[in-house]
Amino acid sequence: MSKFLFGRYLPLNSIVHRLDPRNKLLLSFCYIILVFLANNWLSYLILIAFTLGAIRASTIPLRIFVRGIRPLIWLILFTVALQLLFSPTGGHVYFHWTFINVTQYGVVNAGYIFIRFLLIITMSTLLTLSTQPLDIATGLASLMKPLRWVRVPVDTLAMMLSIALRFVPTLMDEAQKIMNAQRARGVDFGEGGLIKQAKALLPLMVPLFISAFNRAEDLSIAMEARGYQDSEHRSQYRILTWQRRDTVTWLIFALGLALILICRRW
Amino acid sequence: MAITFEHVGYTYQANTPLATPALTDVSFTVPDHGYLAIIGHTGSGKSTLIQQLNALLKPTTGQLTVDQFTVTPTTTNADLKPLRRHVGMVFQFPESQLFAETIRQDIAFGPQNFGLDPDKALKLADEMLALVGLDASYAQRSPFELSGGQMRRVAIAGVLAMHPKVLVLDEPTAGLDPQGRQEMMSLFERLHREQGLTIVLVTHQMEDVAQYAEQVAVMQHGTLLRVGTPQEIFSDVAWLRTADLDLPRAAQFAQKLAQRGVNWPQGLPLTADDLAAQLAAQWSTKGVDHV
């Protein structure tokens, strides 16, 4: 479990860390659109430059990203391989055997997909590494506010989201603890055939669910005792402020967008 | 020698940016049929230390020996099953490990995992139920119907059913009522005395340490500060304070009496019984007017 850096927070104090979480969420979202807008090598080069710039600004060492991507590399390579082998005919055909076509079109597209994956994963890893989970929750809640007008229970969703995020590490600890206790009772996790492995999960899943139910009950009682009624008319403790550096990031983003739109014309 | 730690060190998430050392250079020995209490402030590495004992965590440096088993950083998981059977672990709040449909099945789960025939395991479960003080009517009930204290008993029975030779207890009485605590601790004491179990107890209850332990290990910031008898450990009060620890209540009271001029020729009494015995002896020699 320690290998997965995706979804973790690395406490540093860079300019990226201090950006408004709402801003970072919006930027990451728009960045993904930007990645799909890019359609030739030059535009991808620009994107890579921007991404490396963002990583540099976050002061997080590059090797951490490399390690974060490593567990996902098989998924990426699998997708790339599919694209490479089963592309429709187009351009120069390098290799042909029954239904397998390796064409120029396929090779180029596989390369694009590889870079797209890499860029999107890197940027979203940057988002989670530089933003505390609670800030992400507050940011999301704040961004969802307009949905109130179409009767989406935004505050309830925000409450659920922040509770869920809060309990992810607690439940992880709990799971680890139960796993250890069952191991001490002779359970082998992750060994044997598929059915044996699935059976071994039972002594972990049952206590974990029971503990989650108990926790939910305790938490709801504690919340009621502290005057939580329903989610409306609540004031907020964490107030997000949009600062000049947030505006600057959008100027940089606009520059990137403009460059890529120009590249698309070529 | 039952348990020997030789320069054991352990680092969580070693070789990652989040690496945190939890144990450094721990060496000590617990004799056969010993009763060791491990004390120390929260976060001093006690729980990490005891997880080494059945190799849930393997040392990152050094090695340890538990009877015929040796665990080194390179020991593979395949070699560990006999060790897991040999060392029974009762974790903090062990009631959270219950999962089976009936209490009987839950207790029999451990022995079955170690290859005991299901019928024999169920029979064994009935015996264990009686051992932890629950009557036979509980056997067919769901573990989730029980009170917290009863669930704890079932969990402990599930560990004892594996007939471990070394029993490791991580705060087994935390959150129990005084009577439950008393019963649990005397059960462990009985197993230690009658069946010769080696017991390793992690606790914050200095009274339990003074009353039951034969040997005390004091941990701080992942290092082992001292190992000795309770008498040795609790004799240096100023030093105990530096390790964020305190005396047992009886000893605290005896110390207050010492400030008022009472002498303790046999050393500071650590338990209420000891305190009473020494006071009674002084009472009879010196008479009432002294007090």
Side-chain angles (χ1 to χ4, degrees):
Chain A
M1 232 167 269
S2 59
K3 275 187 211 149
F4 287 93
L5 276 152
F6 193 75
R8 269 214 200 151
Y9 172 67
L10 207 67
L12 290 171
N13 191 21
S14 72
I15 183 150
V16 179
H17 284 75
R18 278 177 275 129
L19 285 176
D20 190 315
R22 287 172 299 182
N23 182 26
K24 278 191 267 191
L25 281 166
L26 274 179
L27 269 175
S28 310
F29 180 70
C30 294
Y31 176 83
I32 292 172
I33 297 174
L34 202 61
V35 168
F36 284 102
L37 274 180
N39 64 348
N40 56 30
W41 291 110
L42 186 62
S43 51
Y44 278 115
L45 219 63
I46 295 167
L47 273 177
I48 290 171
F50 271 98
T51 310
L52 286 177
I55 290 174
R56 190 65 200 275
S58 73
T59 69
I60 299 169
L62 196 61
R63 63 187 157 78
I64 289 182
F65 289 91
V66 176
R67 200 173 296 155
I69 289 167
R70 213 178 284 160
L72 298 168
I73 200 77
W74 294 113
L75 179 73
I76 299 173
L77 288 181
F78 178 69
T79 320
V80 168
L82 282 185
Q83 182 75 28
L84 194 65
L85 298 177
F86 303 108
S87 55
T89 37
H92 182 71
V93 179
Y94 298 113
F95 179 75
H96 178 82
W97 178 74
T98 60
F99 54 88
I100 292 176
N101 288 309
V102 178
T103 62
Q104 191 184 5
Y105 176 85
V107 170
V108 170
N109 265 305
Y112 285 169
I113 282 187
F114 183 69
I115 295 177
R116 276 181 189 168
F117 257 117
L118 227 56
L119 287 176
I120 291 173
I121 292 170
T122 310
M123 215 32 143
S124 38
T125 309
L126 178 63
L127 172 74
T128 56
L129 279 177
S130 69
T131 320
Q132 291 194 39
L134 214 62
D135 278 337
I136 294 184
T138 322
L140 271 178
S142 165
L143 288 175
M144 284 192 300
K145 261 186 196 146
L147 292 178
R148 225 180 251 165
W149 301 111
V150 286
R151 302 206 168 211
V152 177
V154 172
D155 290 310
T156 312
L157 287 175
M159 174 60 81
M160 277 162 60
L161 188 66
S162 57
I163 290 176
L165 278 170
R166 156 67 187 79
F167 279 100
V168 167
T170 313
L171 283 176
M172 291 265 273
D173 282 353
E174 181 88 24
Q176 188 65 51
K177 222 194 87 180
I178 296 171
M179 238 166 129
N180 277 344
Q182 306 297 24
R183 248 191 227 137
R185 293 212 284 167
V187 179
D188 298 312
F189 288 104
E191 275 169 40
L194 207 60
I195 292 172
K196 201 181 162 218
Q197 279 198 38
K199 262 189 175 169
L201 282 181
L202 198 69
L204 170 65
M205 296 320 282
V206 174
L208 204 56
F209 273 99
I210 298 263
S211 140
F213 291 147
N214 288 337
R215 230 178 257 285
E217 202 177 331
D218 290 349
L219 183 68
S220 60
I221 290 170
M223 281 169 77
E224 272 188 346
R226 290 198 281 169
Y228 180 85
Q229 293 255 316
D230 54 40
S231 49
E232 273 171 55
H233 312 303
R234 296 181 66 222
S235 59
Q236 275 198 326
Y237 177 66
R238 297 169 145 257
I239 291 166
L240 303 170
T241 49
W242 189 276
Q243 275 156 328
R244 202 166 58 199
R245 51 174 172 256
D246 295 303
T247 317
V248 172
T249 57
W250 282 98
L251 290 179
I252 298 172
F253 183 83
L255 176 71
L257 179 69
L259 280 174
I260 282 174
L261 285 180
I262 293 167
C263 288
R264 271 174 73 89
R265 303 254 159 182
W266 278 349
Chain B
M1 290 301 175
I3 301 168
T4 311
F5 278 73
E6 286 168 74
H7 308 290
V8 169
Y10 185 79
T11 305
Y12 280 103
Q13 307 192 19
N15 307 320
T16 74
L18 305 163
T20 17
L23 287 181
T24 32
D25 197 27
V26 175
S27 301
F28 68 94
T29 300
V30 184
D32 266 327
H33 318 302
Y35 197 134
L36 171 78
I38 303 175
I39 57 177
H41 202 248
T42 311
S44 58
K46 306 183 294 288
S47 296
T48 310
L49 182 71
I50 57 166
Q51 287 185 57
Q52 308 284 331
L53 281 171
N54 74 347
L56 282 171
L57 301 175
K58 276 173 278 182
T60 37
T61 56
Q63 71 165 36
L64 74 134
T65 319
V66 182
D67 294 319
Q68 67 269 39
F69 305 96
T70 303
V71 187
T72 65
T74 53
T75 308
T76 56
N77 283 325
D79 306 331
L80 295 176
K81 214 155 180 191
L83 173 64
R84 299 251 158 95
R85 181 177 191 175
H86 192 82
V87 180
M89 294 277 277
V90 177
F91 285 88
Q92 278 174 41
F93 302 102
E95 51 274 27
S96 66
Q97 74 191 32
L98 302 178
F99 75 98
E101 281 167 49
T102 68
I103 290 170
R104 204 162 171 242
Q105 283 169 358
D106 202 286
I107 298 175
F109 179 68
Q112 278 181 50
N113 282 329
F114 291 113
L116 196 71
D117 169 90
D119 286 338
K120 279 187 191 154
L122 288 173
K123 203 166 274 173
L124 188 64
D126 293 335
E127 280 171 38
M128 289 302 140
L129 205 57
L131 184 70
V132 295
L134 294 174
D135 62 67
S137 67
Y138 284 95
Q140 296 299 335
R141 286 170 64 179
S142 159
F144 302 112
E145 293 171 4
L146 303 182
S147 73
Q150 289 169 328
M151 281 169 83
R152 173 105 32 122
R153 281 161 202 259
V154 173
I156 290 173
V159 175
L160 293 178
M162 301 184 293
H163 286 308
K165 295 285 170 289
V166 178
L167 185 61
V168 182
L169 308 158
D170 193 354
E171 296 189 43
T173 60
L176 286 187
D177 59 71
Q179 197 199 339
R181 244 185 68 193
Q182 177 69 41
E183 284 172 12
M184 271 300 131
M185 289 313 294
S186 35
L187 168 67
F188 299 136
E189 166 70 9
R190 214 173 71 221
L191 290 170
H192 169 62
R193 208 163 4 92
E194 290 170 6
Q195 299 182 17
L197 250 68
T198 304
I199 292 190
V200 177
L201 168 75
V202 170
T203 185
H204 289 291
Q205 304 288 339
M206 296 305 143
E207 287 70 41
D208 291 343
V209 178
Q211 195 172 348
Y212 299 108
E214 291 156 9
Q215 205 183 0
V216 185
V218 184
M219 299 282 300
Q220 192 182 34
H221 306 311
T223 55
L224 183 70
L225 291 185
R226 265 185 209 185
V227 186
T229 63
Q231 210 45 260
E232 286 164 6
I233 296 292
F234 289 126
S235 61
D236 192 348
V237 183
W239 172 80
L240 267 181
R241 292 275 145 73
T242 65
D244 303 313
L245 291 170
D246 229 327
L247 285 173
R249 267 196 303 269
Q252 284 179 27
F253 183 67
Q255 220 191 4
K256 289 230 171 74
L257 285 179
Q259 285 163 7
R260 298 281 183 91
V262 179
N263 286 319
W264 303 108
Q266 298 166 45
L268 205 62
L270 298 181
T271 62
D273 289 344
D274 192 11
L275 177 75
Q278 289 201 39
L279 274 181
Q282 296 196 18
W283 191 290
S284 57
T285 53
K286 288 184 181 162
V288 187
D289 58 308
H290 177 79
V291 184

